Amino acid sequence: MPELLKRVPELTVLIVLTIAAYAIMGLFSEVSGTEVITPFAAWAIIVGSFVISLLIAIISVLGGVGGGVIFTPIMLGFTSADTLIVRSTGLVVAMFSGLVSSGPFMRNGLADIRLVFFCAIPIIVGAMAGSQFAISMAENMGETGDAIVRLTLGIVLVFIAVMFIMGGSKTEYPTPKRIDIISRKMNLKSRYWEESLNKTVEYHTTRALLGGALFFVVGFTGGFFGLGGGWAVVPVLNLVMAVPLKVSAASSGVLLAIGNAAAIWPYIVKGALIGVFAAPWMIGQVIGGILGAHILAKIKAAFVRNILIVLLFLTSIKLIARGVESLFGIDIPLV
Amino acid sequence: MTHMIHGPHENQGESFEDKPEVPLSGIIYGDIIYWGTIIATLVVIAGSIMSFVSRRSYIDPVYLLTSVWQGKTVEDIWKDAVGDQPDGHWYLWQLSNDTGLTVAGIALGIFSVIPGIIGAAVYMFKEKQILFGGLAAIAALITIYATIA
């Protein structure tokens, strides 16, 4: 850790300033409480959110998913917070670790800039459509819309958890049987330095059209639910388009940042991004994203993925129960 | 003519390889976003301090946290606090207070994607990668549309 702080001085600056900021906020607080939250409780919620966001960022980088897939379902399943506020903050959680990791991933050549721009357009368009649909649904359908969001998100989570379980079939260096004509015409091939092998790895992507269509769907669900889309980007790149696993993981973060950057604006202009609530989550993602990227090599990613699978299944049960309760007016006794 | 070998390999007749050159367009894209995000984080930290230390917040932070906790809708939170739900880039006119500054900081980090993509597109055109430079330019235009629409 001390060596990392020396090597990345901007990380040190961010950590020191954040600790100082929370100390100043605690010691020189001028806010007054409400009947529900005291000034100290408000400060504790902010510091607690930062710490949880930091952990989510590290786990999501290690697990190869955006943080939104952890944050949004838990907040929707276990709190009463408005779904628009949760989803807008979920996009912040989903995108900021990807934004900050774009620099190191591009510098070490792991993220493929040409592949990113090929996949970016369908994911941006899908994300914009998803977020606009979410806003209009909230405006027109009220509580019924909220219940539908919780129920469908619960079902989507079961699907994501199953995808993680099936994720063992991923290959580090997939070899496509044939290259489709679009990938060939676009010359969608590249190479990168594989540190663990001390060799250059070359690859040629395939199924460009199918990949593009799937990225539209990934963008839509990410924008609509505020999940991001990291859970699906890596499988599409690796299993469908035959991109090496490391390049898929690195390009995924960069792609998510671009897609979510388009998706979040409709939420911001409608005032659904509440600054004091979202700020600690954003700061935690930036610091955790840098930390996670540097400790990635030392941790067993499979362990983190197993935790994610359990988390997703448990949260999906709660979300489905809450959705059914609201839609059909029945009571399902769950914690 | 390049001979493609899929998967890890060694260059023929060489025991030590040179690392492949990283495209300048990628480095420019990554660096703009990386530093944009870090500057944005500093702005958000400043906004957070103001929200607790300043005596005159635009919207009381504890009221906001209470409202979120109680499950108030976005519309109700804004109506009860300032009378109207915002529309458009409201935070640009509220930069002198905590609420606007914090959201502006987050928006700055998100906005850094646009100069990043434009910078990458320019260098892709310079590197004669017309197709991908064009795709990057389209991505930048769509993202700009999403920002201002």
Side-chain angles (χ1 to χ4, degrees):
Chain A
M1 185 75 177
E3 194 194 322
L4 175 63
L5 294 177
K6 218 182 279 177
R7 202 153 34 93
V8 192
E10 58 272 23
L11 176 64
T12 315
V13 171
L14 285 179
I15 292 173
V16 169
L17 284 179
T18 305
I19 293 170
Y22 289 142
I24 291 169
M25 286 162 69
L27 292 171
F28 304 104
S29 172
E30 291 286 347
V31 296
S32 43
T34 62
E35 283 177 9
V36 183
I37 297 178
T38 62
F40 176 76
W43 178 83
I45 288 172
I46 287 173
V47 175
S49 300
F50 164 73
V51 173
I52 296 169
S53 178
L54 191 78
L55 295 175
I56 287 180
I58 294 170
I59 289 174
S60 60
V61 169
L62 299 177
V65 296
V69 84
I70 304 171
F71 171 86
T72 306
I74 290 177
M75 289 297 285
L76 285 182
F78 297 96
T79 74
S80 312
D82 181 70
T83 60
L84 279 188
I85 295 171
V86 172
R87 283 183 279 174
S88 63
T89 313
L91 284 173
V92 168
V93 173
M95 73 186 297
F96 268 91
S97 58
L99 277 174
V100 83
S101 62
S102 293
F105 284 149
M106 285 295 176
R107 275 207 167 269
N108 63 24
L110 269 183
D112 182 342
I113 186 79
R114 297 189 324 147
L115 184 64
V116 163
F117 285 135
F118 172 73
C119 303
I121 293 170
I123 212 167
I124 291 172
V125 175
M128 281 169 64
S131 57
Q132 286 290 358
F133 187 55
I135 298 276
S136 70
M137 194 169 163
E139 283 174 351
N140 298 318
M141 295 181 72
E143 282 186 14
T144 310
D146 268 17
I148 293 171
V149 167
R150 286 194 165 91
L151 182 61
T152 48
L153 179 57
I155 296 165
V156 168
L157 281 197
V158 174
F159 173 73
I160 296 172
V162 171
M163 271 188 64
F164 276 133
I165 293 168
M166 312 279 277
S169 59
K170 280 178 196 162
T171 48
E172 280 194 69
Y173 311 105
T175 310
K177 288 195 177 83
R178 59 175 283 274
I179 309 291
D180 69 293
I181 189 158
I182 296 173
S183 305
R184 208 165 43 233
K185 290 262 186 212
M186 293 187 79
N187 202 23
L188 272 174
K189 63 182 180 185
S190 190
R191 58 201 202 121
Y192 73 100
W193 180 254
E194 177 55 76
E195 205 74 55
S196 63
L197 300 172
N198 214 25
K199 286 174 186 172
T200 296
V201 174
E202 293 187 2
Y203 59 92
H204 202 316
T205 58
T206 186
R207 298 194 198 102
L209 211 56
L210 177 61
L214 289 171
F215 275 123
F216 177 82
V217 178
V218 170
F220 185 89
T221 50
F224 182 75
F225 290 117
L227 286 176
W231 52 277
V233 174
V234 174
V236 172
L237 287 174
N238 184 244
L239 299 176
V240 178
M241 297 178 76
V243 178
L245 196 53
K246 270 195 181 174
V247 179
S248 300
S251 303
S252 159
V254 180
L255 256 176
L256 279 180
I258 295 178
N260 293 338
I264 200 167
W265 291 111
Y267 292 102
I268 292 178
V269 296
K270 287 284 174 192
L273 189 75
I274 304 293
V276 70
F277 177 65
W281 292 98
M282 180 264 199
I283 299 168
Q285 286 300 304
V286 172
I287 295 176
I290 301 175
L291 280 173
H294 283 91
I295 60 171
L296 180 63
K298 294 172 188 168
I299 300 279
K300 284 188 177 173
F303 173 71
V304 180
R305 294 176 75 84
N306 288 339
I307 296 175
L308 273 176
I309 290 167
V310 174
L311 208 63
L312 289 173
F313 270 125
L314 289 178
T315 312
S316 68
I317 293 167
K318 180 70 181 171
L319 278 168
I320 291 169
R322 284 194 68 179
V324 170
E325 278 178 339
S326 304
L327 273 180
F328 304 106
I330 54 171
D331 188 40
I332 302 171
L334 277 174
V335 177
Chain B
M1 186 184 159
T2 314
H3 178 60
M4 284 298 301
I5 303 170
H6 300 294
H9 74 287
E10 285 179 90
N11 284 349
Q12 289 170 353
E14 287 178 11
S15 50
F16 295 100
E17 292 182 57
D18 287 333
K19 288 185 180 180
E21 207 175 307
V22 177
L24 192 57
S25 51
I27 293 175
I28 285 167
Y29 172 83
D31 279 2
I32 290 174
I33 292 182
Y34 183 76
W35 289 107
T37 309
I38 287 175
I39 292 167
T41 311
L42 298 178
V43 176
V44 172
I45 290 172
S48 301
I49 296 173
M50 270 176 77
S51 68
F52 263 62
V53 175
S54 161
R55 283 168 195 260
R56 286 192 307 166
S57 281
Y58 179 56
I59 305 176
D60 180 47
V62 184
Y63 158 77
L64 284 173
L65 288 173
T66 305
S67 302
V68 172
W69 190 253
Q70 288 179 322
K72 269 192 181 179
T73 64
V74 174
E75 196 180 355
D76 288 344
I77 290 174
W78 282 95
K79 275 186 178 165
D80 292 349
V82 291
D84 244 338
Q85 188 177 354
D87 201 11
H89 295 277
W90 59 273
Y91 51 89
L92 293 177
W93 287 267
Q94 302 291 343
L95 289 175
S96 58
N97 66 58
D98 57 313
T99 313
L101 190 65
T102 307
V103 175
I106 296 173
L108 175 67
I110 299 160
F111 181 81
S112 67
V113 168
I114 294 174
I117 299 176
I118 292 172
V122 169
Y123 269 83
M124 280 182 150
F125 284 124
K126 276 190 181 174
E127 289 168 351
K128 307 279 182 226
Q129 299 204 46
I130 306 299
L131 175 63
F132 290 97
L135 287 175
I138 294 169
L141 285 175
I142 301 173
T143 314
I144 291 169
Y145 171 77
T147 309
I148 60 176

